[in-house]
């Protein structure tokens, strides 16, 4: 029988026995956990101790790290003192909405006269613009604070200055060649890459500003916990790198969230079935349960729903807004699945040769702008190549708007810069981006991106990549190992959850779930048995009798009984190298 197995490339981290042995002897770590830590770039005992316990790291003050932070605080102090109207311009993703809610809470706590606006995903697209600036002016605003946007909005910022407004930009996106003429700019990308603050998301920058401002006014009491909770949700939902100060603050925040002070987070956690008995949440609880319900609103509905959810003290409003987040998230899931299936059919029908192009570019009418980024991620998982996906704007079909997702060896932001003269608005970073352009430029952009992909990617890169920490045997898997691994949380970008491999594993039983979408397995190696799950693997059913597997270790709890479950990410023939 011919079996259909995933077409993947497995990349193993090189073993480093001299360093791992030293860590085992000095710190009492298991050899497996020592190897995982070395794979994350820590090699000295001091680095490893700081990684395991970030609280011991000597953290520089943000006032010395961010050159414009003292100036920003002085501007805000004066605005609060004079009761000037302050307006926050946020963004419609989870980072932008949590940032907006964080600064609203912080500034209201400090007695500021503050309101907010968030650009419409459908009408405005990303970032502050001249229309919003003019509306702020008409409303009597004196000071604009951008959160999670603004660094690329030169024209809008210049217009604000022409109208006599002050403006502070807080953002974390990559820097344009010319910075906008703001009164102050807070962006970790202006700091050295070695700074512990370099990896902050937009909500991290907002958190730094709110906390240091409150400290300067002697009004920090009763504020830190709720701000840290919002920082935690926004940072993980935005897929920010979980390194530097993010690692330290997230470890604190994940312990706070099970007993959140924020009514909306409590209600949303209940609806998302996040266990209230947990002593701490993990990044998956936010990344797969809370974050998507917040993000869904920004994708498909009015961000005001989330802002109210995260700032209200009214129980009824919190419940109503949490239920809206839940319902819209269900719509988002259905829409994503539908568009993904349509995209796959289109790729097959048009016989799009993504192997030859070394990237995938797909445009179609009537796809919802709000979810095509999620579809791009799904297509990247499926095909293992950079994905650019777009749709025509409803109100102006001559404009195509889209999203991009990249593989490890491909920089999405540089690819978009390579098309700078052909694009309208664009932005993003190495792994993801957004763009718009006149539809007449489609053939030229396709050719330009193909050139960039051929300069950047070798043909062998064009398979989904699985980076494996180390090979282990089933007999070595136990709760002690799982607890050691869990102590290294939070997992995420630049601190990826460990992936293991095991060879010549027997597929004892296998069946599809009731929905027919996922594959449930019982696997055996050397008489040791584990239940396993492979998400969205229906097309690989059935697996051959014996396989090599790549997987994550998960704790599964059912009716009070805990067990270890394998989450299967890869499978290949036993004799492959």
């Amino acid at each position: 029988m011919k079996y259909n197995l995933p077409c993947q490339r497995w990349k193993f981290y090189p073993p480093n026995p001299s360093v791992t042995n030293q860590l085992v002897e000095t710190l009492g770590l298991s050899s497996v956990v020592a190897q995982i830590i070395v794979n994350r770039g820590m090699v000295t005992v001091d680095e490893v101790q700081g990684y395991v316990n970030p609280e011991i790291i000597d953290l520089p003050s943000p006032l010395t790290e961010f050159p414009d932070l003292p100036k920003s605080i002085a501007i805000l102090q004066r605005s609060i003192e004079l009761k000037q109207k302050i307006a926050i311009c946020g963004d419609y993703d989870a980072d932008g909405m949590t940032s907006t809610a964080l600064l609203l809470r912080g500034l209201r706590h400090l007695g500021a006269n503050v309101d907010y606006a968030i650009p419409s995903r459908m009408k405005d697209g990303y970032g502050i613009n001249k229309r919003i600036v003019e509306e702020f002016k008409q409303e009597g605003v004196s000071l604009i604070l951008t959160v999670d946007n603004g660094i690329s909005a030169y024209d809008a910022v210049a217009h604000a200055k022409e109208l006599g407004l002050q403006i502070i930009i807080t953002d974390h996106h990559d820097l344009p060649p010319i910075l906008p003429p703001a009164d102050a700019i807070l962006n970790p990308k202006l700091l050295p890459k070695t700074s512990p603050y370099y990896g902050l998301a937009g909500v991290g920058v907002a958190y730094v500003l709110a906390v240091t401002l409150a400290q300067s006014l002697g009004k920090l009491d009763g504020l830190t916990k709720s701000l840290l909770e919002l920082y935690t949700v926004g940072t993980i939902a935005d897929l920010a790198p979980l390194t530097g100060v993010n690692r330290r603050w997230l470890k604190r925040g994940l312990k706070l969230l099970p007993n959140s002070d924020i009514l909306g987070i409590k209600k949303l956690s209940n609806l998302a079935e996040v266990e209230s008995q947990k002593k701490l949440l993990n990044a998956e609880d936010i990344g797969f349960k809370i974050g998507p319900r917040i993000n869904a609103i920004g994708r498909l509905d009015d961000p005001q729903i989330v802002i109210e959810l995260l700032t209200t003290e009214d129980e009824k409003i919190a419940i109503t807004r949490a239920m809206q987040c839940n319902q819209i998230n269900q719509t988002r899931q259905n829409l994503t699945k539908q568009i993904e299936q349509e995209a796959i059919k289109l790729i097959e029908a048009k016989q799009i040769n993504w192997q030859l192009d070394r990237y995938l570019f797909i445009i179609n009418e009537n796809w919802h702008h709000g979810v095509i980024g999620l579809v791009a991620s799904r297509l990247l998982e499926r095909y293992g190549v950079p994905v650019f996906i777009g749709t025509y704007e409803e109100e102006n079909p001559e404009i195509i708007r889209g999203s991009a997702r990249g593989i490890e060896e491909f920089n999405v932001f540089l690819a978009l810069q390579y098309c700078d003269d052909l694009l309208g608005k664009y932005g993003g970073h190495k792994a993801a981006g957004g763009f718009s352009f006149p539809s007449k430029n489609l053939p030229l952009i396709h050719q330009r991106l193909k050139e960039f992909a051929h300069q950047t990617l070798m043909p062998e890169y064009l398979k989904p990549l699985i980076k494996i920490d180390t090979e282990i045997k089933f007999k070595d898997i136990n709760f002690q190992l799982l607890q050691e691994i869990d102590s290294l949380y939070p997992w995420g970008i630049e601190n990826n959850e460990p992936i293991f491999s095991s060879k010549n594993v027997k597929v004892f039983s296998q069946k599809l779930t009731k929905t027919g979408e996922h594959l449930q397995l019982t696997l055996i190696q050397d008489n040791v048995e584990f239940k396993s799950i492979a998400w969205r693997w229906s097309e690989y059913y059935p697996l051959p009798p014996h396989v090599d597997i790549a997987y994550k270790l998960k704790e599964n709890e059912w009716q009070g009984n805990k067990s270890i479950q394998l989450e299967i990410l890869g499978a290949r023939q036993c004799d492959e190298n």
Side-chain angles (χ1 to χ4, degrees):
M1 180 176 176
K2 193 172 186 336
Y3 295 98
N4 176 32
L5 287 172
C7 182
Q8 299 168 324
R9 53 189 174 123
W10 290 16
K11 189 174 175 182
F12 288 81
Y13 283 94
N16 195 334
S18 61
V19 176
T20 53
N21 289 342
Q22 184 192 9
L23 296 178
V24 169
E25 290 168 16
T26 311
L27 301 176
L29 301 170
S30 71
S31 57
V32 171
V33 168
Q35 179 67 46
I36 290 167
I37 294 172
V38 170
N39 295 348
R40 303 296 173 279
M42 317 300 147
V43 290
T44 69
V45 170
D46 284 350
E47 284 175 339
V48 172
Q49 286 177 321
Y51 172 79
V52 173
N53 181 13
E55 293 291 346
I56 68 172
I57 297 170
D58 187 21
L59 197 64
S61 166
L63 289 164
T64 57
E65 291 284 290
F66 290 89
D68 281 3
L69 184 55
K71 190 194 306 182
S72 302
I73 290 169
I75 293 169
L76 280 161
Q77 283 176 339
R78 185 171 179 275
S79 290
I80 293 168
E81 188 183 329
L82 298 176
K83 301 205 178 303
Q84 291 177 338
K85 191 165 185 183
I86 301 169
I88 298 165
C89 179
D91 185 31
Y92 41 66
D93 68 0
D95 186 18
M97 290 187 285
T98 52
S99 303
T100 303
L102 188 154
L103 279 182
L104 278 172
R105 278 182 166 269
L107 290 171
R108 284 171 181 168
H109 176 89
L110 300 173
N113 175 14
V114 60
D115 206 348
Y116 74 96
I118 294 178
S120 161
R121 181 186 280 271
M122 304 302 286
K123 293 178 183 174
D124 295 306
Y126 168 77
I128 192 168
N129 57 42
K130 288 183 178 180
R131 178 189 66 76
I132 291 172
V133 168
E134 285 168 4
E135 281 185 10
F136 284 158
K137 177 66 176 176
Q138 287 163 10
E139 291 164 6
V141 168
S142 298
L143 171 63
I144 299 173
L145 267 173
T146 71
V147 289
D148 193 34
N149 76 93
I151 199 67
S152 297
Y154 189 97
D155 290 346
V157 174
H159 192 52
K161 296 309 298 172
E162 286 166 8
L163 295 175
L165 301 177
Q166 286 190 295
I167 182 164
I168 298 170
I169 290 173
T170 76
D171 199 354
H172 71 119
H173 291 96
D174 287 347
L175 304 174
I178 302 173
L179 295 176
D183 293 272
I185 298 177
L186 303 178
N187 187 325
K189 296 296 191 300
L190 289 165
L191 311 183
K193 287 187 178 180
T194 52
S195 169
Y197 298 97
Y198 187 79
L200 288 175
V203 72
V205 185
Y207 177 72
V208 165
L209 178 59
V211 169
T212 52
L213 176 63
Q215 282 173 329
S216 75
L217 294 170
K219 294 182 178 179
L220 193 56
D221 283 355
L223 184 63
T224 310
K225 185 172 183 285
S226 61
L227 299 192
L228 188 56
E229 289 171 15
L230 288 169
Y231 157 82
T232 301
V233 171
T235 298
I236 293 174
D238 198 55
L239 305 179
L242 304 192
T243 55
V245 77
N246 280 339
R247 189 163 167 74
R248 176 168 169 154
W249 291 345
L250 288 172
K251 272 187 176 283
R252 294 179 192 172
L254 288 166
K255 288 175 184 171
L256 297 177
L257 279 167
N259 300 298
S260 177
D261 280 350
I262 298 172
L263 206 51
I265 289 181
K266 280 183 186 175
K267 303 304 176 189
L268 195 59
S269 296
N270 292 341
L271 286 174
E273 297 177 347
V274 176
E275 295 171 48
S276 58
Q277 291 81 22
K278 283 189 170 186
K279 289 182 181 174
L280 62 86
L281 297 193
N282 58 40
E284 282 193 351
D285 289 319
I286 294 169
F288 292 99
K289 294 178 181 178
I290 297 172
R293 284 165 168 79
I294 289 173
N295 254 327
I297 295 295
R299 292 180 183 281
L300 300 177
D301 212 307
D302 185 350
Q304 185 175 341
I305 293 168
V306 170
I307 305 304
E308 286 189 10
L309 174 81
L310 299 177
T311 57
T312 188
E313 302 299 334
D314 183 308
E315 182 115 1
K316 285 183 181 175
I317 292 175
I319 291 170
T320 303
R321 297 297 179 241
M323 288 175 71
Q324 285 177 288
C325 290
N326 213 39
Q327 289 159 0
I328 295 293
N329 187 53
Q330 188 61 55
T331 305
R332 188 270 309 165
Q333 288 174 323
N334 296 337
L335 203 52
T336 303
K337 191 181 288 188
Q338 175 198 323
I339 294 174
E340 180 190 4
Q341 289 167 352
E342 288 175 9
I344 291 166
K345 284 179 185 172
L346 197 62
I347 291 162
E348 291 170 357
K350 289 190 171 183
Q351 297 182 322
I352 295 172
N353 196 336
W354 46 267
Q355 293 104 326
L356 186 65
D357 292 343
R358 300 189 191 174
Y359 85 108
L360 177 59
F361 199 179
I362 182 166
I363 307 288
N364 199 27
E365 296 175 351
N366 303 320
W367 282 348
H368 198 292
H369 296 133
V371 299
I372 55 175
L374 300 172
V375 175
S377 297
R378 291 278 183 89
L379 295 176
L380 184 142
E381 281 177 29
R382 182 182 181 90
Y383 297 107
V385 293
V387 175
F388 289 71
I389 182 170
T391 189
Y392 297 88
E393 289 196 349
E394 278 182 35
E395 294 175 8
N396 185 1
E398 293 180 0
I399 299 292
I400 290 171
R401 197 193 311 176
S403 288
R405 298 292 184 270
I407 62 175
E408 185 170 281
E409 298 86 357
F410 185 94
N411 189 312
V412 169
F413 187 67
L414 293 182
L416 292 171
Q417 277 190 326
Y418 194 72
C419 303
D420 179 86
D421 58 311
L422 301 172
L423 295 172
K425 289 173 75 173
Y426 68 90
H429 44 83
K430 181 180 185 293
F435 56 86
S436 65
F437 60 86
S439 53
K440 65 180 182 182
N441 288 353
L442 180 56
L444 291 171
I445 289 172
H446 179 50
Q447 186 57 38
R448 191 80 64 85
L449 287 171
K450 184 176 174 181
E451 282 174 21
F452 183 85
H454 275 255
Q455 290 170 19
T456 309
L457 300 175
M458 303 294 288
E460 56 265 31
Y461 296 161
L462 306 182
K463 291 179 187 176
L465 172 67
I466 298 181
K467 295 175 80 171
I468 296 168
D469 281 278
T470 186
E471 182 192 335
I472 57 175
K473 294 191 178 297
F474 277 15
K475 64 182 177 63
D476 299 323
I477 299 171
N478 52 43
F479 277 104
Q480 185 181 340
L481 175 64
L482 193 61
Q483 283 165 1
E484 269 198 84
I485 291 167
D486 283 348
S487 72
L488 305 179
Y489 82 95
W491 304 110
I493 304 298
E494 292 185 30
N495 188 45
N496 292 322
E497 191 174 355
I499 297 174
F500 303 102
S501 71
S502 294
K503 286 185 175 178
N504 199 17
V505 170
K506 181 181 179 181
V507 181
F508 182 72
S509 69
Q510 54 183 314
K511 65 176 182 179
L512 294 174
T513 55
K514 287 178 184 175
T515 62
E517 195 176 0
H518 314 299
L519 181 56
Q520 291 177 316
L521 304 148
T522 303
L523 303 175
I524 298 176
Q525 185 194 55
D526 299 331
N527 296 318
V528 180
E529 177 183 303
F530 284 106
K531 301 289 184 194
S532 309
I533 185 77
W535 304 111
R536 298 196 301 275
W537 265 40
S538 57
E539 65 184 290
Y540 305 124
Y541 175 77
L543 295 179
H546 289 84
V547 283
D548 293 348
I549 57 169
Y551 56 92
K552 295 177 182 177
L553 295 177
K554 298 291 179 182
E555 184 180 278
N556 191 37
E557 188 167 349
W558 176 249
Q559 295 180 335
N561 296 318
K562 291 184 178 180
S563 62
I564 296 174
Q565 179 177 272
L566 311 187
E567 183 181 306
I568 306 299
L569 303 175
R572 63 184 190 182
Q573 297 285 357
C574 293
D575 55 354
E576 286 187 40
N577 293 319

